[in-house]
Each structure stands twice: as structure tokens, then as C-alpha cells.
Amino acid sequence: MKVLYFAWLRERTGTAEEQIELPEAVKTGMDLMLWLKQRDEGYDYAFEDPDLIRIAADQEHVEADADITQAREVAFFPPMTGG
């Protein structure tokens, strides 16, 4: 699965994108965030407040509890503001 990070998530994780093997226990966007938090301090900092983070699976916005097991791409980004 390709995982993309935008804005301050990219800065905190130190990467814009990566390929991962989705662990069997990871089923939802929230599961993925919690799994990523365990990788190192940067990921822990990036995902310290999961309620602020928006998720897209295959370029469609999804809720944190949505099943992502069939997604080819998951993107994480902060809330967007309009103007």
C-alpha cells in the first residue's frame, strides 16, 4: 500500500510517501494511524492527535473507522481551510 503524508504530517514523519506492507491487524484508517505511531518519535508526534487528521483511501475522503484493507493508497492530511 502507498501511504502519503501532507503538510505538517510530512514534516513530522520526514517523508512524503512510502510503500508499506499492511499488517494483518490493521483494518481501518485509525488502526493504521495507531500502528504508524509506534514506528518512531516522528510518527508518534505526527499522529499524536488522530482526531485532527483527515484520511483519504484511493483519493476518496473516508472516516477513521472505514475499512482500508482493499485500498491501494491511503493519504493523511491536516484539516483544510477555505477562503
Side-chain angles (χ1 to χ4, degrees), residues 4 6-7 13-14 17-18 20 25-28 34-35 37 40 43 47 52-53 55 62-63 67 70 72-73 77-78:
L4 305 170
F6 292 94
T13 61
E17 68 179 66
E18 62 183 322
I20 65 162
V26 174
K27 306 288 186 202
T28 68
L34 295 174
W35 180 77
K37 276 179 65 77
D40 68 31
Y43 286 90
F47 294 102
L52 291 179
I53 298 170
I55 304 168
V62 296
E63 296 296 323
D67 185 332
Q70 298 302 309
R72 289 175 291 173
E73 176 186 280
F77 48 93

Side-chain angles (χ1 to χ4, degrees), residues 9-31:
L9 292 157
R10 177 180 55 236
E11 294 169 14
R12 293 176 183 183
T13 61
T15 188
E17 68 179 66
E18 62 183 322
Q19 261 325 109
I20 65 162
E21 180 85 23
L22 195 64
E24 192 171 311
V26 174
K27 306 288 186 202
T28 68
M30 180 61 76
D31 292 343

